[in-house]
Amino acid sequence: GDGLVFLYPSGEVSLAFRQQLTEFVEAGGHVLIVDSPTNTKSTANTLLHPFDLQIERSTQLAGRLETPEGWPAGVVVETASEVRGGDPIIRVAGHAVAATTHFGAGTITVIGFGSRFTDVKMGVIGDVIPDVSLRNVYELEFQLLRSILSDAL
């Protein structure tokens, strides 16, 4: 009840919906928006506008994610968008690719490297045992969610 997740948002965002989202966060809700440069129909910035956050779609980055101390390290992304505004959480080459901001009693967090969490073959074959690097990706996802919902960001 306290969290909403938008994965690759591409639908129309009405003014009424944006107002409801703003009220949800202001009242203590937590929102996570996961997007990627590959989402060519993204409406993430329309959702982010009231919170002074923005995905810079013209800036595409790649490389090793720079994560907070104690978080999974060594995760590499092939493509990420820079995130402007808020408090940076994760960077690539010094550029924020994930950030959060407090708004009222809640938070809104945006990730610009959602394609790293996408597995187009998921469910096709079940005999793959995750190696250390894939487990780090999973652990990074879980760390993000735990931190958002516990308001630890």
Side-chain angles (χ1 to χ4, degrees):
D2 290 343
L4 287 174
V5 177
F6 294 91
L7 301 172
Y8 284 60
S10 60
E12 183 180 334
V13 180
S14 69
L15 186 58
F17 182 83
R18 200 164 63 180
Q19 181 62 36
Q20 289 174 332
L21 182 64
T22 302
E23 290 169 3
F24 173 78
V25 175
E26 202 167 34
H30 302 285
V31 173
L32 171 61
I33 297 175
V34 179
D35 207 3
S36 166
T38 61
N39 183 9
T40 59
K41 297 180 180 180
S42 177
T43 55
N45 283 337
T46 306
L47 293 167
L48 293 168
H49 179 74
F51 308 100
D52 292 325
L53 288 165
Q54 180 181 8
I55 294 176
E56 184 59 53
R57 303 202 63 78
S58 63
T59 307
Q60 292 191 23
L61 304 161
R64 187 174 307 273
L65 296 177
E66 301 160 10
T67 56
E69 187 174 329
W71 285 38
V75 175
V76 175
V77 294
E78 292 180 12
T79 183
S81 293
E82 186 173 6
V83 175
R84 304 253 172 128
D87 299 314
I89 305 167
I90 299 173
R91 298 174 189 270
V92 169
H95 297 272
V97 293
T100 193
T101 193
H102 292 268
F103 189 85
T107 60
I108 185 155
T109 303
V110 59
I111 296 171
F113 56 92
S115 57
R116 185 58 181 111
F117 298 138
T118 303
D119 180 357
V120 295
K121 297 178 185 171
M122 190 170 279
V124 173
I125 186 164
D127 60 354
V128 174
I129 299 173
D131 61 9
V132 173
S133 65
L134 186 54
R135 290 193 54 82
N136 264 353
V137 173
Y138 295 157
E139 288 302 319
L140 180 60
E141 287 178 296
F142 295 134
Q143 181 65 46
L144 276 164
L145 291 172
R146 282 189 298 263
S147 296
I148 290 166
L149 292 175
S150 68
D151 204 16
L153 293 175

